[in-house]
Amino acid sequence: MRTNVNSQLVRHLYVHVPFCPTICPFCSFHVLERRGPDVEAYLTRLDEELAELADHYDVRPDTVYVGGGTPSHLRPSELERLHRIVERRVGWAAIEATLEVHPSTASARRIADWSSLGFTRLSVGAQSFDDAVLRTLGRPHDGDAGRRTVEWCLATGAVTSVDIMTAIDGQDLGSDLSLAVALGADHVSAYTLTIEPDTPFEAIGVVVPDERAASALRTACDVLGAAGLERYEVSNHARPGKRCVHNQAYWMGAWFAGVGPSASSMLPDPDVPGGGAVRSTNAETPGWLAGESADCGRLDGDDLLGDALLCGLRMVEGVDLDRLAVRIGLDARIVRREAISQLIGDGLVELDGPRLRATEVGMMVLDRVAAELL
Ligand SMILES: C[S@@+](CC[C@H](N)C(=O)[O-])C[C@H]1O[C@@H](n2cnc3c(N)ncnc32)[C@H](O)[C@@H]1O
Ligand code: SF4
């Protein structure tokens, strides 16, 4: 029974699937190697969580993003069940439904089936097309598998995105990006290799020098821009009309619900009608399976402003401060006056009418920009 359903519509749904074929030595997401009984328990709990969500919120997703981990590692019957669960609890009328695809899990047949199931956007974790770079990254597939996966995805007519990791020792980044473009990718996410705490890469002392990271960002903009893929976010580049609607909504401060272990949500605060937000992060798999409640924090107007600036400045277009003031009731030009002046003086952000955006230099040090504005 739906009780006390919040009247504000939630239009974006993220589903976290934690299972992966192998665990990559650079990755710090919440991931697990799959075991049949774990997947069964996962799907049962997912159904319960979505039912609880729909009891409290009016969730009608325009976008669904099934990510992870590696959702394409689910068996066909398991992914079909996940689809049925989402459809039954909140509907599957999404204008954009993304599935993250690992090359080791792909075949022409499986990809065609994912498209028939209702996925309109396929995001391939190719990382590189160079076998030596893939070995450095500890990936279980070769460059040909990544290339074939992108071709099979494109053949279904789905919007096809390719993840390329950058700033890797020995990588010819220009050639990785050029191949993604030559294959016909609609969208490329060029992620600078980040050395995450408590990963094998950190333990063995892998280092990404700042100059290499900066040069990789420039190469990504140059190569992808010249091929007609416009940069619209720090790491994301798209052909016209092919931006990721789901991620854009998230960066622009829309409400979103995340389900599955470790998933985050940003939802209207049920106790503050017409204002306020609650950010929550689910427990990791064992706690989540046991029904442990999510870690929740209330955001007041000032928190929401900091959050909106942090996310919005990731976008090349930046943040419209007039619209933000209407949405949150606070004007950043007043309540963050000193920080904004300082950042403008340092050449890290610029104001163009009501729009605050990061400069090219600012985009390279967004963490520092964010720290000033939070
Ligand atoms: C959830 S994975 C994509 C799907 C699938 N799990 C795979 O790896 O093919 C998301 C992406 O995050 C990126 N990523 C993960 N850890 C990273 C790190 N430490 N530095 C940079 N990019 C990273 C990779 O490009 C990866 O494709
Ligand atoms: S990069 Fe992808 S496949 Fe590798 S561990 Fe992370 S989520 Fe799993």
Side-chain angles (χ1 to χ4, degrees):
M1 229 234 326
R2 284 159 71 97
T3 46
N4 293 326
V5 178
N6 194 293
S7 62
Q8 298 191 56
L9 260 185
V10 179
R11 295 192 176 277
H12 307 284
L13 178 72
Y14 173 75
V15 181
H16 188 82
V17 181
F19 310 104
C20 289
T22 58
I23 308 298
C24 305
F26 52 82
C27 184
S28 66
F29 299 142
H30 170 57
V31 293
L32 303 168
E33 286 191 33
R34 66 163 282 149
R35 290 183 20 231
D38 292 344
V39 179
E40 201 43 45
Y42 164 83
L43 289 168
T44 302
R45 176 73 193 113
L46 190 73
D47 191 21
E48 287 168 10
E49 191 186 14
L50 273 161
E52 288 157 18
L53 179 74
D55 266 350
H56 294 96
Y57 289 96
D58 193 358
V59 185
R60 277 181 264 160
D62 286 342
T63 68
V64 176
Y65 195 108
V66 184
T70 303
S72 64
H73 192 37
L74 293 177
R75 298 200 171 127
S77 61
E78 295 163 347
L79 194 59
E80 281 161 26
R81 192 167 148 212
L82 184 151
H83 177 271
R84 271 200 308 278
I85 289 171
V86 174
E87 190 169 43
R88 181 151 58 100
R89 297 300 181 189
V90 294
W92 191 290
I95 50 167
E96 178 189 277
T98 301
L99 180 73
E100 286 187 338
V101 176
H102 186 307
S104 299
T105 64
S107 68
R109 175 68 196 275
R110 292 191 82 186
I111 291 173
D113 287 348
W114 296 329
S115 165
S116 306
L117 192 59
F119 288 99
T120 61
R121 186 173 182 276
L122 299 168
S123 174
V124 181
Q127 321 308 349
S128 169
F129 297 104
D130 178 333
D131 293 348
V133 172
L134 290 167
R135 275 194 299 276
T136 302
L137 289 173
R139 295 284 292 187
H141 55 90
D142 61 13
D144 267 355
R147 187 181 47 71
R148 278 196 309 269
T149 303
V150 175
E151 287 170 343
W152 289 327
C153 289
L154 283 162
T156 67
V159 173
T160 299
S161 181
V162 180
D163 289 350
I164 297 290
M165 287 175 64
T166 76
I168 300 155
D169 193 19
Q171 179 181 31
D172 179 347
L173 178 58
S175 109
D176 273 337
L177 295 169
S178 299
L179 184 49
V181 167
L183 289 170
D186 298 299
H187 184 286
V188 172
S189 301
Y191 295 124
T192 311
L193 172 63
T194 309
I195 307 305
E196 302 286 353
D198 303 324
T199 56
F201 265 27
E202 185 198 50
I204 61 170
V206 177
V207 174
V208 180
D210 287 349
E211 320 79 74
R212 198 198 292 157
S215 140
L217 278 174
R218 280 192 294 274
T219 303
C221 290
D222 291 350
V223 174
L224 296 172
L229 279 80
E230 188 192 13
R231 185 195 206 190
Y232 68 102
E233 192 263 356
V234 185
S235 313
N236 286 288
H237 308 251
R239 294 188 197 273
K242 306 290 182 176
R243 294 179 177 196
C244 177
V245 181
H246 180 90
N247 285 340
Q248 275 205 129
Y250 165 75
W251 294 315
M252 290 163 79
W255 302 127
F256 64 93
V259 290
S262 85
S264 299
S265 303
M266 176 79 97
L267 290 167
D269 188 338
D271 297 331
V272 187
V278 176
R279 193 198 341 244
S280 62
T281 305
N282 280 348
E284 297 199 341
T285 297
W288 177 79
L289 283 176
E292 204 174 280
S293 34
D295 185 12
C296 290
R298 287 212 149 90
L299 275 69
D300 65 13
D302 196 72
D303 299 329
L304 273 174
L305 181 78
D307 205 72
L309 293 172
L310 195 80
C311 289
L313 285 174
R314 300 187 62 85
M315 305 276 300
V316 168
E317 279 122 31
V319 194
D320 183 324
L321 299 182
D322 284 347
R323 288 174 63 179
L324 187 61
V326 171
R327 180 160 73 84
I328 294 178
L330 290 175
D331 190 331
R333 286 157 294 201
I334 298 169
V335 293
R336 295 288 191 279
R337 184 199 308 267
E338 278 178 27
I340 291 176
S341 302
Q342 177 73 48
L343 289 167
I344 291 175
D346 293 347
L348 299 179
V349 300
E350 59 196 12
L351 257 177
D352 176 8
R355 276 199 176 273
L356 181 71
R357 58 173 157 255
T359 60
E360 225 167 276
V361 182
M363 276 281 182
M364 295 195 186
V365 289
L366 267 188
D367 286 351
R368 189 183 141 203
V369 175
E372 299 288 332
L373 290 170
L374 266 178

